[in-house]
Amino acid sequence: MRKTTASRSLALFAALVLPFAASAHTGVDGGMHHGFTTGFLHPLTGADHLAAMVAVGLWSALAARRAWPDLLWAPLAFAGMLLAGALMGLAGVQLPAVEPMIAASLLVLGLLVATRVHLPAVVAMAVVGVFAIFHGVAHGHELASEEGAALTLAGMVGATVLLHLAGIALGWALRHANAWLPRVAGAAVVVLGASLLAQAV
């Protein structure tokens, strides 16, 4: 039954991604093909960003005491502050220690996933929101030379939301699974964060 639930979660994620992928490759309106696709694929091209976004959704599902609205506070905060950080990066704003903070975010999020700690909504939003700003600034700097900034950011936020949903679906499927599965997932994120932090400092 649990395997069926996990399979359905993955199928749901694929169903959510495909319409965005199809629209991203139309290439008919002077920017949709380039700007939206670039933004949509950007969070998927770096293991650090990918792991962080999935981990936020995973932790939200594992730690939620109720499905609504506990599942959404942290993902909404991350997506919103990621967009704010990306706008800062596009505007040329420089923040100190961006790469170390991204690595630290993986350490913290991995520990939250592994321990399934429940935090008050305001605290959870603040924790992920601060880290999301640094992820957003990094994205903004990397995309500053791209044309069609609005479409690029729309694609990036769309991919972020879908990655959060993938994490939520996976976390919800694992809520009643063997306790070691979430711990292994969290530990993998921690290891990735630790290796990136060692490179960044």
Side-chain angles (χ1 to χ4, degrees):
M1 181 67 180
R2 289 169 184 160
K3 289 182 178 179
T4 302
T5 302
S7 298
R8 288 177 179 172
S9 300
L10 291 174
L12 174 62
F13 175 60
L16 289 169
V17 170
L18 286 176
F20 279 91
S23 65
H25 288 280
T26 56
V28 296
D29 63 349
M32 178 68 78
H33 177 76
H34 180 70
F36 188 89
T37 302
T38 299
F40 185 87
L41 294 178
H42 198 71
L44 309 178
T45 58
D48 49 353
H49 298 295
L50 180 65
M53 293 170 189
V54 173
V56 168
L58 186 60
W59 170 53
S60 296
L62 290 171
R65 292 179 178 171
R66 53 186 178 178
W68 179 265
D70 288 1
L71 284 175
L72 299 179
W73 294 127
L76 287 175
F78 192 97
M81 297 310 291
L82 178 88
L83 177 58
L87 290 171
M88 292 167 60
L90 285 172
V93 174
Q94 300 289 334
L95 292 181
V98 170
E99 293 303 323
M101 283 297 290
I102 289 174
S105 73
L106 296 178
L107 288 173
V108 173
L109 289 169
L111 288 173
L112 290 173
V113 169
T115 58
R116 301 172 72 158
V117 171
H118 175 82
L119 298 177
V122 174
V123 177
M125 293 173 72
V127 169
V128 301
V130 168
F131 288 132
I133 290 175
F134 287 88
H135 282 268
V137 167
H139 282 306
H141 288 162
E142 292 167 351
L143 298 174
S145 61
E146 298 290 337
E147 295 180 2
L151 283 173
T152 301
L153 289 177
M156 186 182 69
V157 173
T160 298
V161 170
L162 288 177
L163 289 171
H164 287 332
L165 290 175
I168 289 172
L170 181 59
W172 200 256
L174 294 177
R175 277 174 67 90
H176 304 294
N178 291 333
W180 64 268
L181 287 174
R183 291 172 185 164
V184 169
V189 177
V190 169
V191 169
L192 176 59
S195 64
L196 292 175
L197 187 60
Q199 297 172 28
V201 296

